[in-house]
Amino acid sequence: MFLTISTTGSAERPATDLGFLLHKHPEKAQAFSTSYGTAHVLYPEADAERCTAALLLEVDAVALVRRGKGKGRGGAPDAALAQYVNDRPYAASSLLAVALSAVFSSAMRGVCTARPQLPAQPRPLRIEVPALPARGGPGLVRSLFEPLGWTVTAEPVPLDGEFPQWGDSRYIRLVLDADTLTLAEALRHLYVLLPVLDDAKHYWVSPDEVDKLLRAGEGWLPGHPEQRLITSRYLSRRWSLTRQAMERLELVRLAETDDTAVEDIDNAVEAEAEQEEKPTPLAVQRREAILAALRASGAARVLDLGCGQGQLVQQLLKDPVFTEIVGVDVSMRALTIASRRLKLDRMGERQSARVNLLQGSLAYTDKRLGGYDAAVLSEVIEHLDLPRLPALEYAVFGAARPRTVLVTTPNVEYNVRWESLPAGHVRHGDHRFEWTREEFRAWAEKVAGQYGYGVGFVPVGPDDPEVGPPTQMAVFQADTPKEAKAA
């Protein structure tokens, strides 16, 4: 996936000013980690008369298939074999748009600390994209870019040069030329319109995409003749988000017409009106799901196995239903922090009698952990090497054998939705593995059958219809009439 930005200049106004604007030195080749691979920035030419910066996005195709399942997001949605063969590593798409935003973020905002006067100066620009999916053909490409001041060359790429009778593909070679635009304006145009032309974003479109669109479209989108098409495609045709964006764009247009501020137009609601709530952090949603499952089980005496810094213990202490809470962790440092968090040294006698912090390893049986109603292993198992899991299974399900066991772990399928997570990376550097829903279910059912438990599964966090929830939870209930099977 490749894109070049070129400019020309003179001795008085050298073309190498492009390096200042992009915050990338022309004499260096640099690499940057992105969500799905590595972005390389280099300068094929750089002198006073002409300077070209190239952005090469090297996509991790294997991670793309594993995380995006090769279709819808991360794969060509209309290809019969999209899970195995798709154009994502080669054709400009939302992957390239995200890389532009990440690598050239300061340039896109029009910030240049070293030369503050440069960002506001229009300059001759040429942008070339060798392979761009264009759903709508060259005509749509021209109708999107020409109203913004670009001279557009959109050459269809034939399906096969040796067989012209096969016709053209849906890809074009795009060349944009302009003399009246700033670099920041050019980058914002590309950031919005590349995924619009491709019409298949590689990540889930959430409500904050409306703000991204309006920021990048400031100054040009409200008056664009293809505003509705741009908005709908950029937001993956989610009608509720499209309607919200169109309403806000109309306010901007009215404000510009009246030469006033948007706030003065949109004054029907008082300033103190209720604001949109911030999304609940996943860690909080996870603790709430655990608390709900513990209450539903009727547990009073609870083990928090791998309690870390005591966040869950702290929440359990707030509910008098839980009469005894034991936090266990192998790390003394974590237990010390948990003790400070809980203020054990200043806690009243009745409250302190409800809580106990123990050092211990879950890979070994521990008589202190027997006889409890419930045990929680929240984001614990993925920190163990797979060969050590059977030891934990026996220590918890075979030896301690609480009536209820709750196990939460990341759903690796959902990682595709974390735009900031580099390709092929797990969510935490200490994770030894992260399982798909099918892998977690297979493990949980095996353990349940081996030790005489029944097991059910609960999604934690937004349950994405394509990749599932960010966290998966198994709820084990002991089959009380039966004895546990031998390990």
Side-chain angles (χ1 to χ4, degrees):
M1 200 180 300
F2 192 66
L3 175 148
T4 60
I5 304 171
S6 302
T7 188
T8 56
S10 61
E12 295 77 23
R13 193 182 179 191
T16 49
D17 283 349
L18 184 64
F20 285 101
L21 288 167
L22 294 175
H23 293 255
K24 306 291 180 288
H25 199 288
E27 295 181 5
K28 296 180 180 179
Q30 297 174 268
F32 305 87
S33 178
T34 70
S35 302
Y36 283 84
T38 303
H40 302 270
V41 178
L42 60 151
Y43 288 77
E45 56 183 344
D47 55 41
E49 294 183 354
R50 184 174 176 83
C51 185
T52 298
L55 175 63
L56 172 65
L57 181 57
E58 186 180 15
V59 174
D60 184 341
V62 175
L64 194 63
V65 171
R66 286 176 177 171
R67 298 168 65 193
K69 297 301 179 188
K71 52 192 174 183
R73 294 168 186 83
D78 58 352
L81 297 176
Q83 183 173 355
Y84 309 100
V85 181
N86 60 70
D87 64 359
R88 300 298 85 178
Y90 316 107
S93 63
S94 58
L95 289 161
L96 186 59
V98 169
L100 275 173
S101 175
V103 175
F104 299 139
S105 59
S106 296
M108 191 175 291
R109 297 196 312 271
V111 174
C112 181
T113 306
R115 303 276 294 278
Q117 75 282 3
L118 285 182
Q121 296 175 359
R123 61 188 57 251
L125 292 172
R126 167 169 279 220
I127 294 174
E128 298 184 53
V129 184
L132 173 64
R135 298 179 187 275
L140 179 60
V141 177
R142 286 189 285 270
S143 68
L144 293 182
F145 282 102
E146 285 180 349
L148 302 176
W150 294 101
T151 300
V152 180
T153 303
E155 300 176 352
V157 177
L159 281 171
D160 193 310
E162 296 185 11
F163 300 94
Q165 65 271 24
W166 289 1
D168 294 327
S169 68
R170 67 186 183 95
Y171 303 95
I172 63 164
R173 176 180 174 271
L174 176 65
V175 181
L176 302 173
D177 291 285
D179 294 320
T180 59
L181 296 172
T182 66
L183 180 64
E185 290 172 329
L187 293 174
R188 290 197 294 268
H189 295 166
L190 292 170
Y191 176 75
V192 173
L193 297 181
L194 289 181
V196 165
L197 284 166
D198 180 41
D199 200 18
K201 281 201 167 181
H202 71 279
Y203 58 89
W204 179 251
V205 175
S206 57
D208 64 350
E209 290 293 300
V210 174
D211 293 325
K212 293 180 184 178
L213 173 63
L214 296 183
R215 282 197 300 269
E218 184 178 359
W220 62 271
L221 184 56
H224 198 291
E226 298 290 347
Q227 176 196 105
R228 181 171 291 277
L229 180 143
I230 293 170
T231 303
S232 175
R233 284 196 178 190
Y234 183 87
L235 298 171
S236 294
R237 293 183 170 83
R238 292 190 61 186
W239 69 267
S240 59
L241 299 184
T242 301
R243 183 179 63 184
Q244 179 185 342
M246 293 297 294
E247 290 172 352
R248 291 172 63 178
L249 286 168
E250 179 62 14
L251 283 174
V252 173
R253 188 191 66 80
L254 291 172
E256 291 177 348
T257 301
D258 292 346
D259 194 22
T260 187
V262 172
E263 293 77 10
D264 295 335
I265 296 290
D266 189 21
N267 58 3
V269 180
E270 296 295 332
E272 62 268 18
E274 182 179 355
Q275 297 180 356
E276 184 179 353
E277 294 183 3
K278 294 182 179 179
T280 305
L282 180 58
V284 175
Q285 295 182 60
R286 189 160 48 235
R287 288 194 290 271
E288 290 175 348
I290 290 169
L291 289 168
L294 289 173
R295 293 184 185 113
S297 74
R301 303 173 67 237
V302 179
L303 296 167
D304 183 6
L305 304 178
C307 66
Q309 299 178 15
Q311 291 94 330
L312 178 60
V313 173
Q314 187 176 41
Q315 292 300 311
L316 291 167
L317 276 170
K318 294 179 180 179
D319 191 333
V321 167
F322 305 112
T323 58
E324 184 179 352
I325 303 146
V326 176
V328 181
D329 204 282
V330 72
S331 168
M332 274 305 302
R333 182 173 180 273
L335 293 174
T336 300
I337 296 173
S339 177
R340 291 173 184 164
R341 175 189 295 275
L342 300 171
K343 300 181 175 63
L344 291 182
D345 57 336
R346 288 179 279 170
M347 191 177 286
E349 186 176 345
R350 289 184 61 185
Q351 189 78 331
S352 63
R354 295 174 58 208
V355 62
N356 192 15
L357 300 180
L358 303 176
Q359 185 183 24
S361 170
L362 302 182
Y364 301 95
T365 58
D366 190 335
K367 293 181 179 179
R368 297 175 297 176
L369 307 184
Y372 284 84
D373 299 327
V376 178
L377 293 100
S378 179
E379 309 300 285
V380 171
I381 60 173
E382 64 273 10
H383 292 272
L384 274 70
D385 294 317
L386 283 170
R388 301 188 68 187
L389 266 184
L392 175 142
E393 294 163 10
Y394 177 72
V396 175
F397 294 91
R401 195 167 175 78
R403 187 174 69 247
T404 301
V405 181
L406 308 180
V407 180
T408 74
T409 191
N411 169 21
V412 71
E413 296 171 75
Y414 194 89
N415 288 359
V416 69
R417 300 297 183 246
W418 304 119
E419 186 180 339
S420 60
L421 186 65
H425 286 227
V426 292
R427 297 187 199 175
H428 188 282
D430 189 49
H431 285 186
R432 303 301 199 266
F433 62 87
E434 287 180 356
W435 278 334
T436 64
R437 288 168 290 173
E438 183 179 349
E439 290 168 332
F440 181 56
R441 182 178 289 270
W443 172 83
E445 289 175 346
K446 175 185 74 69
V447 171
Q450 184 174 2
Y451 292 102
Y453 282 77
V455 63
F457 300 91
V458 178
V460 180
D463 196 358
D464 187 285
E466 187 174 343
V467 297
T471 294
Q472 44 194 341
M473 180 166 71
V475 180
F476 296 85
Q477 293 287 347
D479 298 332
T480 49
K482 301 178 182 179
E483 293 295 326
K485 299 179 183 178

